[in-house]
Amino acid sequence: MKLIIAFIVVLLLLVLLFRFLGRRVGVVQRGSIQVIAARQLAPNRSVQVVEVGKKLYLLGVGENVQLLADVTDSYTVASDAGAGGSFGTTLQQVLAELRRDSRRNDEP
């Protein structure tokens, strides 16, 4: 019985030690990165809207991560217009806005 109680006490001390050290040695988080929306396209392939600071980026995630577009302005407009809509609808609106912008930039 004493052995079991001693074992439990040792385990509790280890848990407390790890919690204390985890807080004390923890990595200081600078800045903010959040996944705003994500859609899986295929196994191990997805499209994600990620907020870094105050900017929004459309990323393609697969074997590697690729920046598809900076959608800060377009995503804000699309998400306000389609509040409560699905990610697919919002993504279509953002991509349509990006296509319009690229066509305007391509015209002389």
Side-chain angles (χ1 to χ4, degrees):
M1 187 66 159
K2 288 182 182 181
L3 180 64
I4 293 173
I5 293 173
F7 182 69
I8 291 173
V9 169
V10 169
L11 285 177
L12 288 174
L13 288 174
L14 284 172
V15 168
L16 292 174
L17 178 67
F18 281 120
R19 281 190 172 187
F20 175 74
L21 289 176
R23 290 183 189 149
R24 188 172 180 106
V25 182
V27 177
V28 176
Q29 182 178 2
R30 294 184 185 171
S32 172
I33 298 176
Q34 290 184 331
V35 176
I36 303 299
R39 171 69 113 205
Q40 186 166 356
L41 303 174
N44 299 326
R45 305 277 190 265
S46 66
V47 176
Q48 298 182 1
V49 176
V50 178
E51 181 180 39
V52 180
K54 294 184 179 183
K55 298 200 69 125
L56 296 169
Y57 299 101
L58 182 64
L59 302 177
V61 180
E63 292 177 10
N64 55 19
V65 177
Q66 289 185 319
L67 176 63
L68 301 177
D70 178 352
V71 293
T72 303
D73 297 330
S74 300
Y75 189 79
T76 303
V77 170
S79 64
D80 290 345
S86 69
F87 176 78
T89 304
T90 304
L91 181 61
Q92 287 176 346
Q93 292 171 349
V94 168
L95 292 175
E97 182 67 29
L98 288 171
R99 284 187 201 114
R100 277 187 243 126
D101 288 345
S102 67
R103 287 183 193 140
R104 285 185 212 141
N105 293 338
D106 291 343
E107 293 177 358

